Each structure stands twice: as structure tokens, then as C-alpha cells.
Amino acid sequence: MNSSGVLKSSSSELDLDRPNIEDYLPSGAAIQQEPRGKLRLHDLLDISPTLSEAAGAIVDDSFTRCFKSNPPEPWNWNIYLFPLWCFGVFARYLIIFPTRVLVLTIGWIIFLSSFIPVHFLLKGHDKLRRSIERSLVEMICSFFVASWTGVVRYHGPRPSRRPKQVFVANHTSMIDFIVLEQMTAFAVIMQKHPGWVGLLQSTILESVGCIWFNRSEAKDREIVARKLREHVQGADNNPLLIFPEGTCVNNHYTVMFKKGAFELGCTVCPVAIKYNKIFVDAFWNSRKQSFTKHLLQLMTSWAVVCDVWYLEPQNLKPGETPIEFAERVRDIISTRAGLKMVPWDGYLKYSRPSPKHRERNIGS
């Protein structure tokens, strides 16, 4: 009798530790008693929204971390380092920043005083005009890099103008284009921007054959696809540069590449870009920061340190689809730059519902 009592008490204690599925079901519902050990499909359907929300939270965390900037840990944590930090702030904002503004201003004066006459006076000599404008665009991009005290190391052969080739690179910020453009005048595929950036796009950058699109316009896809095919056929056109991720990623990950650049029937030249965050994070979150503020952040830092690798050209293999080709090139770029590949479409950054909207739907 004593042993059976002990067994019963221990059994009841074990039962207390077991999760009861009825605790997770909606209260107030008329639940029909079922034999012990049986789990109804209705029970699983009742808890499936909870499981879906949990899985969604995991996916959302994995996705959003690709577009989050990780701020550096503060190092001015004691009385010995704080004066040094104050001196650094004084030097960066009151000495280095004004000097960089002066350098960039001089660059713009030289550029505009040369570009405007060339653009309007040499209209009858297109080949010469394009050559001079190409050199001037490379020059102003060099002034931009100098205004950040950019330390850029290029690895591999310099790109050349050849027909039926396209360059693809991972995308961290709009400065990716500037870093690459100071070495070679690329014709880039880029989202149309408002403000002074849009003015530069529609005037100066048009001269190097850049192609613009509006992400919200579905008809722009067909127009851009046609322009891409026409551009890669021209031997005298500037090399075509595409950022196939379609959005800026924080230089820790690479999201899925769009297949458009890989179904043109031409050679794909991968370019890997890796920024060193020792002085500043070069990632541009366009949803939280304008490009002007982003430039100010770079110009008030100590330096922008970057490595660029021009990798071996790739061609579509027999039996390989454009999507598989895109993933193979993404793997090459990610391996070289030390980035982690994630299976997300970067356009979800613009189309997925906001957290407030999701919370409001859950609450209702």
C-alpha cells in the first residue's frame, strides 16, 4: 500500500510537469472530452496561428538583420579615454570635416567648369565628347572618395570596354558606385532618386549611359530589360554595372540576386566589395537616413576603408538556368568578400507590411 501511494504521488508530480495542450486552446470553447492520449486535428488548427506567429518572428528576425546597421560599442568608458575621445570629435568635426568640404567644393568647381562646355560645345563630336565626359566623371568620383579620406584597395585586372559583358557586385550603399566609378566609368542600373541625387542622375550620369528605373512602376521592367540588351551589344558603350540584389544590404550578408543580369546571354564579371568598419559603417539604410546625411556621416569619420576584387568572368554552363547561374555568382562574391548568403528577396524590404501594421492586424 505504501509503495502504491508513493507511485501515485510521484506520478502526479510528473503529470504536473507535463504541458497540457488544453491550456493553449481558446478559453470558453465547448471542448468535447476525448480519450486520454488522442490529439484532434481541431486542436492543432487552434494552436497553428501561434506556431505561425512564432515562425514568422524567426523569419522576420533573420530577414531584418540583413538591413540593420550594428552600431559600434562605445569605447570612451573611463576618465582616461574620454579626453582622447573629445579630442577626436574636435578634430573630425572642426578640422577634418571643413577641409574635406573644401576639397569636394574645389572638385565640383573644376568638374562643372569643364563638363558644361564639353557637353554643349562638342555635340558634333560624340566620340570625343563621351571620352572627355567619362574622364571627368571618374575625376569627380575621385574627389568624392578623397572627401571621405577613402582608402580603397583594388584587386585584379581593371575592367575594360568590351561587348557582351556585364559586371555585377554586392550592394552596401550608393557609394559602391562612386568607389567603382573612380576606377572605371561604368554605366550603372540604378533606382531613380529624388532631390539633388536625382538631378545628377538625369544630367551628369546620363552622359556615361546610366539607366534609371522606378521600383514602383511595373512597366519600367520591360523598358530596362530592352535597354540592357541594347547596351551590352555596343562595343563603344561603357561597361555595364548592375547590383542584382536590388537594395542595400549591410555588408554582412548577400540576399538573392535578380536573374535579369544573368539572362542577357553575355559574360558576367563578378565584383566583390567589402568595407572595413574600423572607422565607419558604410551601410546606407535609405529608409532611416537620407543620402545627404549618409555622406555627412562618412565625411565626419576618420576614413572609409574598402577592398574591391574584380573576379574571374563567368559564363552560363550547359543545362544551367539563369537562377542557378545567379546563385553561383552570388556564392563566388560572398566567398571572396566573407559575406553570408541568405535565401531572402531584397524587394521584401519595400513590400512587406510594417511591424505596426502587423501588430494592429494581430490585435484585431
Side-chain angles (χ1 to χ4, degrees), residues 18-27 31 43 45-51:
R18 294 174 181 170
N20 184 7
I21 194 173
E22 293 180 358
D23 295 338
Y24 298 90
L25 298 179
S27 59
I31 303 176
D43 298 336
L45 293 178
D46 281 340
I47 65 172
S48 62
T50 303
L51 297 176

Side-chain angles (χ1 to χ4, degrees), residues 99-109 140 143-144 147 299:
T99 304
R100 290 172 174 173
V101 172
L102 178 61
V103 169
L104 190 58
T105 302
I106 293 174
W108 274 113
I109 293 174
I140 190 61
F143 273 101
F144 266 106
S147 71
M299 294 178 68

Side-chain angles (χ1 to χ4, degrees), residues 135-192:
S135 299
L136 290 173
V137 170
E138 292 177 0
M139 183 200 69
I140 190 61
C141 288
S142 298
F143 273 101
F144 266 106
V145 175
S147 71
W148 321 320
T149 314
V151 181
V152 185
R153 294 178 293 184
Y154 297 92
H155 312 269
R158 179 173 175 170
S160 58
R161 293 198 307 274
R162 296 177 184 175
K164 303 196 71 175
Q165 70 172 1
V166 59
F167 290 80
V168 298
N170 57 299
H171 198 21
T172 305
S173 167
M174 200 187 301
I175 71 168
D176 299 338
F177 165 72
I178 299 176
V179 167
L180 296 177
E181 197 79 2
Q182 76 158 347
M183 179 63 68
T184 302
F186 286 102
V188 70
I189 312 300
M190 189 183 295
Q191 163 75 22
K192 184 68 175 177

Side-chain angles (χ1 to χ4, degrees), residues 312-330:
E312 183 179 355
Q314 305 292 320
N315 289 286
L316 187 69
K317 294 181 178 180
E320 189 177 40
T321 66
I323 295 178
E324 293 171 342
F325 186 22
E327 284 299 290
R328 179 163 61 87
V329 172
R330 181 163 76 111

Side-chain angles (χ1 to χ4, degrees), residues 43-89:
D43 298 336
L44 292 176
L45 293 178
D46 281 340
I47 65 172
S48 62
T50 303
L51 297 176
S52 298
E53 289 296 330
I58 295 173
V59 169
D60 186 66
D61 179 68
S62 175
F63 176 79
T64 56
R65 72 177 61 178
C66 301
F67 309 103
K68 286 183 177 180
S69 178
N70 299 320
E73 295 183 2
W75 57 270
N76 55 329
W77 44 268
N78 62 31
I79 193 62
Y80 307 107
L81 295 177
F82 184 72
L84 183 61
W85 177 82
C86 291
F87 172 77
V89 172

